[in-house]
């Protein structure tokens, strides 16, 4: 079982819609959760981090964490064509310091 | 500088040559990480530094790979006798610290070095 799994995608949404990205992780002791956005040919850019159960909102982005279900999600509201990118879920385990990344979900926002 | 910087941005080398990749972390960040991303693949962890020491080198793919960090700042990743399968984007990230607490373990990435081995 992979440490971090994401929807394989690609995910295509119309402009203005909500894009919903899901991520599950295997280490129940994980404490830190991150969403990165990666445009083609560019390096990952941090969007949000979340540590506590519940929702965390930042502009059009909302991260949701449910540690009991080992599930973290990212919602993008009012999706824009500029949101078209690959979104990487990353999890930091309590045993070490490295981030375990999911394979990423590619999102395409149709104008 | 304001962010993590890496050099060179692109490196083309011939099989069998040695290459050195450089990373300059965000000022004040004590933790530094190297990752590799092959075309269309996810990020593969290589090595991590806390200060100048690398507690875990198990992510390095072979003994041709080595890394060092001096002065708690700049790090170099060296690949000896490069092979075609080494072709990838090498990404460096830094964080304030490696201890897991809010805001201190968030990793920020540099622009990467694209390595092509012919």
């Amino acid at each position: 079982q992979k440490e971090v799994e994401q929807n394989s995608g690609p995910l295509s949404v119309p402009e203005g819609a909500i894009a919903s990205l899901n991520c599950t992780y295997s280490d129940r002791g994980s404490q830190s959760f991150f969403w990165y956005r990666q445009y083609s040919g560019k390096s990952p850019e941090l969007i949000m981090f979340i540590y506590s159960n519940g929702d965390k909102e930042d502009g059009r982005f909302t991260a949701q964490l449910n540690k009991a279900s080992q599930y973290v999600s990212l919602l993008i509201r009012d999706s824009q064509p500029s949101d078209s990118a690959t979104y990487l879920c990353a999890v930091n385990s309590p045993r070490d310091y490295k981030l375990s990344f999911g394979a990423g979900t590619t999102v395409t926002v149709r104008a | 500088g304001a962010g993590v910087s890496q050099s060179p941005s692109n490196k083309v080398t011939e099989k069998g040559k040695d290459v050195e990749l450089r990373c300059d972390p965000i000022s004040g960040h004590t933790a530094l990480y190297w990752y590799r991303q092959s075309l269309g693949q996810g990020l593969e962890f290589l090595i991590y530094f806390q200060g100048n020491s690398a507690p875990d080198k198990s992510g390095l793919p072979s003994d041709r790979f080595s890394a060092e960090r001096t002065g708690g700042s700049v790090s170099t990743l060296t690949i000896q006798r490069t092979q075609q399968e080494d072709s990838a984007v090498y990404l460096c990230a830094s964080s304030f610290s490696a201890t897991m607490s809010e805001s201190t373990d968030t990793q920020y990435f540099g622009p990467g070095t694209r390595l092509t081995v012919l």
Side-chain angles (χ1 to χ4, degrees):
Chain A
Q1 180 187 9
K2 292 183 180 178
E3 293 184 47
V4 182
E5 300 208 43
Q6 296 183 243
N7 293 13
S8 58
L11 177 65
S12 180
V13 298
E15 186 174 0
I18 295 174
S20 177
L21 308 173
N22 302 318
C23 174
T24 58
Y25 57 95
S26 60
D27 190 336
R28 183 169 290 278
S30 296
Q31 297 178 14
S32 310
F33 308 88
F34 305 84
W35 283 100
Y36 287 86
R37 176 176 61 198
Q38 188 173 27
Y39 292 114
S40 180
K42 301 294 185 182
S43 62
E45 170 192 11
L46 179 73
I47 297 176
M48 295 186 70
F49 59 83
I50 185 167
Y51 293 79
S52 304
N53 277 328
D55 295 359
K56 180 180 179 181
E57 186 175 316
D58 184 0
R60 295 185 296 109
F61 298 96
T62 299
Q64 299 174 317
L65 175 61
N66 184 325
K67 290 185 180 180
S69 300
Q70 296 174 238
Y71 172 92
V72 58
S73 66
L74 180 70
L75 300 177
I76 308 174
R77 292 184 303 281
D78 187 23
S79 295
Q80 303 296 309
S82 59
D83 295 328
S84 297
T86 296
Y87 290 80
L88 302 170
C89 172
V91 177
N92 202 342
S93 81
R95 288 187 309 280
D96 56 42
Y97 34 80
K98 66 179 186 285
L99 290 178
S100 295
F101 282 85
T105 300
T106 299
V107 174
T108 301
V109 180
R110 309 186 304 271
Chain B
V4 179
S5 60
Q6 293 185 246
S7 61
S9 55
N10 280 285
K11 177 70 177 179
V12 180
T13 190
E14 294 179 348
K15 178 181 174 181
K17 300 283 189 184
D18 297 352
V19 295
E20 273 193 2
L21 312 179
R22 176 189 166 108
C23 172
D24 199 344
I26 292 172
S27 178
H29 281 194
T30 61
L32 184 148
Y33 313 78
W34 284 98
Y35 296 87
R36 178 170 72 172
Q37 188 172 34
S38 301
L39 187 63
Q41 303 297 311
L43 275 78
E44 174 190 4
F45 170 81
L46 299 178
I47 191 170
Y48 139 80
F49 288 90
Q50 178 62 52
N52 291 335
S53 65
D56 183 359
K57 302 179 181 179
S58 62
L60 295 176
S62 77
D63 58 9
R64 295 185 295 104
F65 287 72
S66 63
E68 65 175 14
R69 188 180 187 196
T70 56
S73 182
V74 172
S75 175
T76 55
L77 177 68
T78 302
I79 309 173
Q80 296 178 308
R81 305 182 301 282
T82 52
Q83 303 295 310
Q84 289 182 333
E85 60 263 28
D86 299 334
S87 296
V89 175
Y90 289 82
L91 290 161
C92 175
S94 71
S95 66
F96 185 75
S97 78
T99 57
M100 285 189 301
S101 62
E102 292 195 26
S103 81
T104 63
D105 64 337
T106 302
Q107 295 183 25
Y108 297 90
F109 284 83
T113 294
R114 182 175 299 278
L115 175 66
T116 303
V117 182
L118 301 176

